[in-house]
Coordinates of all heavy atoms in Angstrom, one line a residue:
R1276 N 0.0 -100.5 -78.8 CA -1.4 -101.1 -78.9 C -2.2 -100.5 -80.0 O -1.8 -99.5 -80.6 CB -2.0 -101.0 -77.5 CG -1.2 -101.6 -76.3 CD -1.9 -101.3 -75.0 NE -1.1 -101.9 -73.9 CZ -1.4 -103.0 -73.2 NH1 -2.5 -103.6 -73.5 NH2 -0.7 -103.4 -72.2
V1277 N -3.4 -101.0 -80.1 CA -4.4 -100.4 -81.1 C -5.6 -99.9 -80.4 O -6.0 -100.4 -79.3 CB -4.9 -101.5 -82.1 CG1 -3.8 -101.8 -83.1 CG2 -5.4 -102.7 -81.5
F1278 N -6.0 -98.7 -80.8 CA -7.2 -98.0 -80.1 C -8.1 -97.5 -81.2 O -7.8 -97.4 -82.4 CB -6.6 -96.8 -79.3 CG -5.8 -97.2 -78.2 CD1 -4.4 -97.4 -78.4 CD2 -6.3 -97.5 -76.9 CE1 -3.5 -97.7 -77.3 CE2 -5.5 -97.8 -75.9 CZ -4.1 -98.0 -76.0
S1279 N -9.3 -97.2 -80.7 CA -10.3 -96.6 -81.7 C -10.0 -95.2 -82.2 O -10.5 -94.8 -83.2 CB -11.7 -96.6 -81.0 OG -12.1 -97.9 -80.7
S1280 N -9.3 -94.5 -81.3 CA -8.9 -93.1 -81.7 C -7.6 -92.7 -81.3 O -7.1 -93.3 -80.3 CB -10.0 -92.1 -81.2 OG -10.0 -92.1 -79.8
C1281 N -7.0 -91.7 -81.9 CA -5.7 -91.2 -81.5 C -5.7 -89.7 -81.6 O -6.5 -89.1 -82.3 CB -4.6 -91.8 -82.5 SG -4.2 -93.5 -82.3
D1282 N -4.7 -89.0 -80.9 CA -4.6 -87.6 -81.0 C -3.8 -87.3 -82.3 O -3.1 -88.1 -82.9 CB -3.8 -87.1 -79.8 CG -4.6 -87.3 -78.5 OD1 -5.8 -87.3 -78.6 OD2 -4.0 -87.4 -77.5
V1283 N -3.9 -86.1 -82.7 CA -3.1 -85.6 -83.9 C -1.7 -85.7 -83.7 O -0.9 -85.7 -84.7 CB -3.6 -84.1 -84.3 CG1 -5.0 -84.1 -84.7 CG2 -3.3 -83.2 -83.1
T1284 N -1.2 -85.8 -82.4 CA 0.2 -85.9 -82.1 C 0.7 -87.4 -82.1 O 1.9 -87.6 -82.0 CB 0.5 -85.3 -80.7 OG1 -0.3 -86.0 -79.7 CG2 0.2 -83.8 -80.7
D1285 N -0.2 -88.3 -82.2 CA 0.2 -89.7 -82.2 C 0.7 -90.2 -83.6 O 0.1 -91.1 -84.2 CB -1.0 -90.6 -81.8 CG -1.3 -90.5 -80.3 OD1 -0.4 -90.4 -79.5 OD2 -2.5 -90.4 -80.0
T1286 N 1.7 -89.6 -84.0 CA 2.3 -89.8 -85.4 C 3.5 -90.7 -85.4 O 4.3 -90.7 -84.5 CB 2.7 -88.4 -86.0 OG1 3.6 -87.7 -85.2 CG2 1.4 -87.5 -86.1
W1287 N 3.6 -91.3 -86.6 CA 4.7 -92.2 -86.9 C 5.4 -91.7 -88.1 O 4.7 -91.2 -89.0 CB 4.3 -93.6 -87.0 CG 3.7 -94.2 -85.8 CD1 2.4 -94.1 -85.4 CD2 4.3 -95.1 -84.8 NE1 2.1 -94.8 -84.2 CE2 3.3 -95.4 -83.9 CE3 5.6 -95.5 -84.7 CZ2 3.6 -96.2 -82.7 CZ3 5.9 -96.4 -83.6 CH2 4.9 -96.7 -82.6
N1288 N 6.7 -92.0 -88.3 CA 7.4 -91.7 -89.5 C 8.6 -92.8 -89.6 O 8.9 -93.4 -88.7 CB 8.0 -90.3 -89.5 CG 9.0 -90.1 -88.4 OD1 8.7 -89.9 -87.3 ND2 10.3 -90.3 -88.8
W1289 N 9.0 -92.9 -90.8 CA 10.2 -93.8 -91.1 C 11.5 -93.1 -91.0 O 11.6 -92.0 -91.5 CB 10.0 -94.4 -92.5 CG 8.9 -95.4 -92.7 CD1 7.7 -95.2 -93.2 CD2 8.9 -96.8 -92.3 NE1 6.9 -96.3 -93.2 CE2 7.6 -97.3 -92.6 CE3 9.8 -97.6 -91.7 CZ2 7.3 -98.6 -92.4 CZ3 9.5 -98.9 -91.4 CH2 8.3 -99.5 -91.8
T1290 N 12.4 -93.7 -90.3 CA 13.8 -93.1 -90.4 C 14.4 -93.6 -91.7 O 13.9 -94.4 -92.4 CB 14.7 -93.6 -89.2 OG1 14.9 -95.0 -89.4 CG2 14.0 -93.4 -87.9
A1291 N 15.6 -93.0 -92.0 CA 16.3 -93.4 -93.3 C 16.7 -94.8 -93.3 O 16.9 -95.4 -94.4 CB 17.5 -92.5 -93.4
N1292 N 16.8 -95.5 -92.1 CA 17.3 -96.8 -92.0 C 16.2 -97.8 -91.7 O 16.5 -98.9 -91.1 CB 18.4 -96.9 -91.1 CG 19.7 -96.2 -91.5 OD1 20.1 -96.3 -92.7 ND2 20.3 -95.4 -90.7
R1293 N 14.9 -97.5 -92.0 CA 13.8 -98.4 -91.8 C 13.3 -98.6 -90.4 O 12.7 -99.7 -90.1 CB 14.1 -99.8 -92.5 CG 14.2 -99.7 -94.0 CD 14.4 -101.1 -94.6 NE 14.0 -102.2 -93.9 CZ 14.7 -103.3 -93.6 NH1 16.0 -103.4 -94.1 NH2 14.2 -104.3 -92.9
S1294 N 13.5 -97.7 -89.5 CA 12.9 -97.8 -88.2 C 11.6 -97.0 -88.2 O 11.5 -95.9 -88.9 CB 13.8 -97.2 -87.2 OG 14.9 -98.0 -86.9
L1295 N 10.6 -97.4 -87.5 CA 9.3 -96.7 -87.3 C 9.4 -95.9 -86.1 O 9.6 -96.5 -85.0 CB 8.1 -97.7 -87.3 CG 7.3 -97.9 -88.5 CD1 6.2 -98.9 -88.3 CD2 6.7 -96.5 -89.0
Q1296 N 9.4 -94.6 -86.2 CA 9.6 -93.7 -85.1 C 8.3 -93.0 -84.7 O 7.5 -92.5 -85.5 CB 10.6 -92.6 -85.5 CG 11.2 -91.8 -84.4 CD 12.3 -90.9 -84.9 OE1 12.2 -90.3 -85.9 NE2 13.4 -90.9 -84.2
Y1297 N 8.1 -93.0 -83.3 CA 6.8 -92.4 -82.8 C 7.2 -91.0 -82.3 O 8.1 -90.8 -81.5 CB 6.4 -93.3 -81.6 CG 5.1 -92.7 -81.0 CD1 3.9 -92.7 -81.6 CD2 5.2 -92.3 -79.7 CE1 2.7 -92.2 -81.0 CE2 4.0 -91.8 -79.0 CZ 2.8 -91.7 -79.7 OH 1.7 -91.3 -79.1
R1298 N 6.4 -90.0 -82.8 CA 6.5 -88.6 -82.4 C 8.0 -88.1 -82.6 O 8.5 -87.2 -81.8 CB 6.1 -88.4 -80.9 CG 4.6 -88.5 -80.8 CD 4.3 -88.2 -79.3 NE 2.8 -88.3 -79.1 CZ 2.2 -88.1 -77.9 NH1 3.0 -87.8 -76.8 NH2 0.9 -88.3 -77.8
E1299 N 8.7 -88.7 -83.5 CA 10.1 -88.3 -83.8 C 11.0 -88.5 -82.6 O 12.0 -87.7 -82.5 CB 10.2 -87.0 -84.4 CG 9.4 -86.8 -85.7 CD 9.6 -85.5 -86.4 OE1 10.1 -84.5 -85.7 OE2 9.2 -85.3 -87.6
K1300 N 10.6 -89.3 -81.6 CA 11.4 -89.5 -80.4 C 11.9 -90.9 -80.2 O 13.1 -91.1 -80.1 CB 10.5 -89.1 -79.2 CG 10.2 -87.6 -79.1 CD 9.3 -87.3 -77.9 CE 8.9 -85.9 -77.9 NZ 8.0 -85.6 -76.6
M1301 N 11.0 -91.9 -80.2 CA 11.3 -93.3 -79.9 C 10.9 -94.2 -81.1 O 9.9 -93.9 -81.7 CB 10.7 -93.7 -78.6 CG 11.1 -92.8 -77.5 SD 10.5 -93.4 -75.8 CE 11.7 -94.6 -75.5
C1302 N 11.6 -95.4 -81.2 CA 11.3 -96.2 -82.3 C 10.7 -97.6 -81.8 O 10.9 -98.0 -80.7 CB 12.6 -96.5 -83.0 SG 13.1 -95.2 -84.1
L1303 N 10.0 -98.2 -82.7 CA 9.4 -99.4 -82.5 C 10.4 -100.5 -82.4 O 11.4 -100.5 -83.1 CB 8.4 -99.8 -83.7 CG 7.4 -100.9 -83.5 CD1 6.4 -100.5 -82.4 CD2 6.7 -101.1 -84.8
K1304 N 10.3 -101.4 -81.5 CA 11.2 -102.4 -81.2 C 10.5 -103.8 -81.0 O 9.5 -103.8 -80.2 CB 12.2 -102.1 -80.0 CG 13.2 -103.2 -79.6 CD 14.0 -102.9 -78.4 CE 13.2 -103.0 -77.1 NZ 14.1 -103.0 -75.9
L1305 N 11.1 -104.8 -81.5 CA 10.6 -106.2 -81.1 C 11.3 -106.6 -79.8 O 12.5 -106.8 -79.7 CB 10.9 -107.2 -82.2 CG 10.5 -108.6 -82.0 CD1 9.0 -108.7 -81.8 CD2 10.9 -109.5 -83.1
D1306 N 10.5 -106.9 -78.8 CA 10.9 -107.4 -77.5 C 10.3 -108.7 -77.3 O 9.1 -108.8 -76.9 CB 10.5 -106.4 -76.4 CG 11.1 -106.9 -75.0 OD1 11.9 -107.7 -75.0 OD2 10.6 -106.3 -74.0
D1307 N 11.0 -109.8 -77.5 CA 10.5 -111.2 -77.5 C 9.5 -111.2 -78.7 O 9.9 -111.2 -79.9 CB 9.9 -111.5 -76.2 CG 9.7 -113.0 -76.1 OD1 10.1 -113.8 -77.0 OD2 8.9 -113.5 -75.2
V1308 N 8.2 -111.3 -78.4 CA 7.2 -111.2 -79.5 C 6.4 -110.0 -79.5 O 5.6 -109.7 -80.4 CB 6.2 -112.4 -79.4 CG1 7.0 -113.7 -79.7 CG2 5.5 -112.5 -78.1
K1309 N 6.5 -109.2 -78.4 CA 5.7 -107.9 -78.3 C 6.5 -106.7 -78.9 O 7.7 -106.7 -79.0 CB 5.5 -107.6 -76.8 CG 4.6 -108.7 -76.1 CD 4.3 -108.2 -74.6 CE 3.4 -109.3 -74.0 NZ 3.1 -108.9 -72.6
L1310 N 5.7 -105.7 -79.3 CA 6.3 -104.5 -79.9 C 6.2 -103.4 -78.9 O 5.1 -103.2 -78.3 CB 5.5 -104.2 -81.1 CG 5.7 -105.1 -82.3 CD1 4.8 -104.8 -83.5 CD2 7.1 -105.2 -82.7
V1311 N 7.3 -102.8 -78.6 CA 7.4 -101.8 -77.5 C 8.2 -100.6 -78.1 O 8.7 -100.7 -79.2 CB 8.1 -102.3 -76.3 CG1 7.3 -103.5 -75.7 CG2 9.6 -102.7 -76.6
L1312 N 8.3 -99.5 -77.3 CA 9.1 -98.3 -77.7 C 10.5 -98.5 -77.2 O 10.7 -99.1 -76.2 CB 8.4 -97.1 -77.1 CG 7.1 -96.6 -77.7 CD1 6.7 -95.3 -77.1 CD2 7.2 -96.5 -79.2
D1313 N 11.4 -97.9 -78.0 CA 12.9 -98.1 -77.7 C 13.5 -96.7 -77.9 O 13.2 -96.0 -78.9 CB 13.4 -99.1 -78.7 CG 14.9 -99.5 -78.4 OD1 15.4 -99.0 -77.3 OD2 15.5 -100.2 -79.1
S1314 N 14.4 -96.4 -77.0 CA 15.1 -95.1 -77.2 C 16.1 -95.1 -78.2 O 16.6 -94.0 -78.6 CB 15.7 -94.7 -75.8 OG 16.6 -95.7 -75.4
V1315 N 16.5 -96.3 -78.7 CA 17.5 -96.5 -79.8 C 16.7 -96.8 -81.1 O 15.8 -97.5 -81.1 CB 18.5 -97.6 -79.4 CG1 19.4 -97.8 -80.6 CG2 19.2 -97.3 -78.1
C1316 N 17.3 -96.2 -82.2 CA 16.7 -96.5 -83.5 C 17.8 -97.1 -84.4 O 19.0 -97.1 -84.1 CB 16.2 -95.2 -84.1 SG 14.8 -94.5 -83.3
D1317 N 17.3 -97.8 -85.5 CA 18.2 -98.2 -86.6 C 19.1 -99.4 -86.2 O 20.1 -99.6 -86.8 CB 19.0 -97.1 -87.2 CG 18.1 -95.9 -87.7 OD1 17.0 -96.3 -88.1 OD2 18.6 -94.8 -87.8
K1318 N 18.7 -100.1 -85.2 CA 19.4 -101.4 -84.8 C 18.6 -102.5 -85.4 O 17.4 -102.3 -85.7 CB 19.6 -101.5 -83.3 CG 20.4 -100.5 -82.6 CD 21.8 -100.4 -83.1 CE 22.7 -99.4 -82.4 NZ 24.1 -99.4 -82.8
P1319 N 19.2 -103.7 -85.6 CA 18.4 -104.8 -86.1 C 17.0 -105.0 -85.5 O 16.1 -105.4 -86.2 CB 19.3 -106.0 -85.9 CG 20.6 -105.4 -86.0 CD 20.5 -104.1 -85.3
R1320 N 16.9 -104.8 -84.2 CA 15.6 -105.0 -83.5 C 14.6 -104.0 -83.8 O 13.4 -104.1 -83.5 CB 15.9 -105.1 -82.0 CG 16.4 -103.7 -81.4 CD 16.6 -103.8 -79.9 NE 17.0 -102.6 -79.3 CZ 18.3 -102.3 -79.0 NH1 19.2 -103.2 -79.1 NH2 18.5 -101.1 -78.4
N1321 N 15.1 -102.8 -84.5 CA 14.2 -101.8 -84.8 C 13.7 -101.7 -86.3 O 13.0 -100.9 -86.7 CB 14.8 -100.4 -84.5 CG 15.3 -100.2 -83.1 OD1 16.5 -100.1 -82.9 ND2 14.4 -100.2 -82.1
L1322 N 14.3 -102.7 -87.1 CA 14.1 -102.5 -88.5 C 12.8 -103.2 -89.0 O 12.6 -104.4 -88.8 CB 15.3 -103.1 -89.2 CG 16.6 -102.4 -88.9 CD1 17.7 -103.0 -89.8 CD2 16.6 -100.9 -89.0
F1323 N 12.0 -102.5 -89.7 CA 10.7 -103.0 -90.2 C 10.5 -102.5 -91.6 O 11.2 -101.6 -92.1 CB 9.5 -102.5 -89.4 CG 9.5 -102.9 -87.9 CD1 10.3 -102.3 -87.0 CD2 8.7 -104.0 -87.6 CE1 10.2 -102.8 -85.6 CE2 8.7 -104.4 -86.3 CZ 9.5 -103.8 -85.3
E1324 N 9.6 -103.1 -92.3 CA 9.3 -102.6 -93.7 C 7.9 -103.0 -94.1 O 7.4 -104.0 -93.6 CB 10.3 -103.2 -94.7 CG 10.3 -104.7 -94.8 CD 11.3 -105.2 -95.9 OE1 11.6 -104.4 -96.7 OE2 11.6 -106.4 -95.8
F1325 N 7.2 -102.3 -94.9 CA 6.0 -102.6 -95.5 C 6.2 -103.7 -96.5 O 7.1 -103.6 -97.4 CB 5.2 -101.4 -96.1 CG 4.4 -100.6 -95.2 CD1 4.6 -99.3 -94.9 CD2 3.3 -101.3 -94.6 CE1 3.8 -98.6 -94.1 CE2 2.4 -100.6 -93.7 CZ 2.7 -99.2 -93.5
V1326 N 5.4 -104.8 -96.5 CA 5.3 -105.7 -97.6 C 3.8 -105.8 -98.1 O 2.9 -105.6 -97.3 CB 5.8 -107.1 -97.2 CG1 7.3 -107.1 -96.8 CG2 5.0 -107.7 -96.0
P1327 N 3.6 -106.0 -99.4 CA 2.3 -105.9 -99.9 C 1.3 -106.9 -99.4 O 1.6 -107.9 -99.1 CB 2.5 -106.0 -101.4 CG 3.7 -106.8 -101.5 CD 4.6 -106.4 -100.4
T1328 N 0.0 -106.4 -99.3 CA -1.1 -107.3 -99.0 C -1.3 -108.2 -100.2 O -1.4 -107.7 -101.4 CB -2.3 -106.5 -98.7 OG1 -2.1 -105.7 -97.6 CG2 -3.6 -107.4 -98.4
S1329 N -1.4 -109.5 -100.0 CA -1.5 -110.4 -101.0 C -2.9 -110.5 -101.5 O -3.9 -110.3 -100.8 CB -1.1 -111.8 -100.6 OG 0.2 -111.8 -100.2
G1330 N -3.1 -111.0 -102.7 CA -4.5 -111.3 -103.2 C -4.7 -112.8 -102.9 O -4.0 -113.4 -102.1
W1331 N -5.8 -113.3 -103.4 CA -6.3 -114.7 -103.1 C -6.1 -115.6 -104.3 O -6.1 -115.1 -105.5 CB -7.8 -114.6 -102.8 CG -8.1 -113.8 -101.5 CD1 -8.2 -112.5 -101.3 CD2 -8.3 -114.4 -100.3 NE1 -8.4 -112.2 -100.1 CE2 -8.6 -113.3 -99.3 CE3 -8.3 -115.7 -99.8 CZ2 -8.8 -113.6 -98.0 CZ3 -8.6 -116.0 -98.4 CH2 -8.8 -114.9 -97.5
Y1332 N -6.0 -116.9 -104.0 CA -5.8 -117.8 -105.0 C -6.4 -119.2 -104.5 O -6.7 -119.3 -103.4 CB -4.3 -118.0 -105.4 CG -3.4 -118.4 -104.3 CD1 -3.2 -119.7 -103.9 CD2 -2.8 -117.4 -103.5 CE1 -2.5 -120.1 -102.8 CE2 -2.0 -117.7 -102.4 CZ -1.8 -119.1 -102.1 OH -1.0 -119.4 -101.0
L1333 N -6.5 -120.1 -105.4 CA -6.9 -121.5 -104.9 C -5.7 -122.4 -105.0 O -4.8 -122.3 -105.8 CB -8.0 -122.1 -105.9 CG -9.4 -121.4 -106.0 CD1 -10.3 -122.3 -106.7 CD2 -9.9 -121.1 -104.5
Y1334 N -5.7 -123.3 -104.0 CA -4.6 -124.3 -104.0 C -5.0 -125.6 -103.4 O -6.1 -125.8 -102.8 CB -3.4 -123.7 -103.1 CG -3.6 -123.9 -101.7 CD1 -3.0 -124.9 -100.9 CD2 -4.5 -123.1 -100.9 CE1 -3.1 -125.1 -99.6 CE2 -4.6 -123.3 -99.6 CZ -3.9 -124.3 -98.9 OH -4.1 -124.4 -97.6
I1335 N -4.2 -126.7 -103.7 CA -4.4 -128.0 -103.0 C -3.1 -128.1 -102.1 O -2.0 -127.9 -102.6 CB -4.7 -129.1 -103.9 CG1 -3.5 -129.3 -104.9 CG2 -6.0 -129.0 -104.6 CD1 -3.7 -130.6 -105.8
E1336 N -3.4 -128.6 -100.9 CA -2.3 -128.8 -99.9 C -1.6 -130.0 -100.0 O -2.1 -131.0 -100.6 CB -3.0 -128.7 -98.5 CG -2.0 -128.6 -97.3 CD -1.3 -127.3 -97.2 OE1 -0.2 -127.2 -97.9 OE2 -1.6 -126.5 -96.5
Y1337 N -0.4 -130.1 -99.5 CA 0.3 -131.4 -99.6 C -0.3 -132.4 -98.6 O -1.1 -132.0 -97.7 CB 1.8 -131.1 -99.4 CG 2.3 -131.0 -97.9 CD1 2.9 -132.0 -97.3 CD2 2.0 -129.8 -97.2 CE1 3.4 -131.9 -96.0 CE2 2.4 -129.7 -95.9 CZ 3.1 -130.7 -95.2 OH 3.5 -130.6 -94.0
I1338 N 0.1 -133.6 -98.6 CA -0.6 -134.7 -98.0 C -0.7 -134.6 -96.5 O -1.7 -134.6 -95.9 CB 0.1 -136.1 -98.4 CG1 -0.1 -136.3 -99.9 CG2 -0.6 -137.2 -97.7 CD1 0.7 -137.5 -100.4

Side-chain angles (χ1 to χ4, degrees):
R1276 302 172 181 256
V1277 291
F1278 296 89
S1279 298
S1280 62
C1281 289
D1282 296 331
V1283 294
T1284 58
D1285 289 319
T1286 58
W1287 297 83
N1288 64 276
W1289 290 100
T1290 69
N1292 294 315
R1293 293 181 25 227
S1294 289
L1295 259 177
Q1296 192 173 47
Y1297 179 69
R1298 291 185 179 176
E1299 298 185 347
K1300 295 179 180 179
M1301 306 186 77
C1302 284
L1303 197 64
K1304 177 183 77 169
L1305 179 62
D1306 182 12
D1307 192 14
V1308 295
K1309 295 182 180 180
L1310 294 176
V1311 301
L1312 292 183
D1313 189 6
S1314 58
V1315 177
C1316 295
D1317 300 337
K1318 299 295 183 182
R1320 63 178 183 261
N1321 305 115
L1322 303 185
F1323 296 83
E1324 63 180 339
F1325 270 120
V1326 294
T1328 301
S1329 302
W1331 294 82
Y1332 57 88
L1333 293 191
Y1334 81 102
I1335 59 174
E1336 186 71 274
Y1337 82 106
I1338 296 170

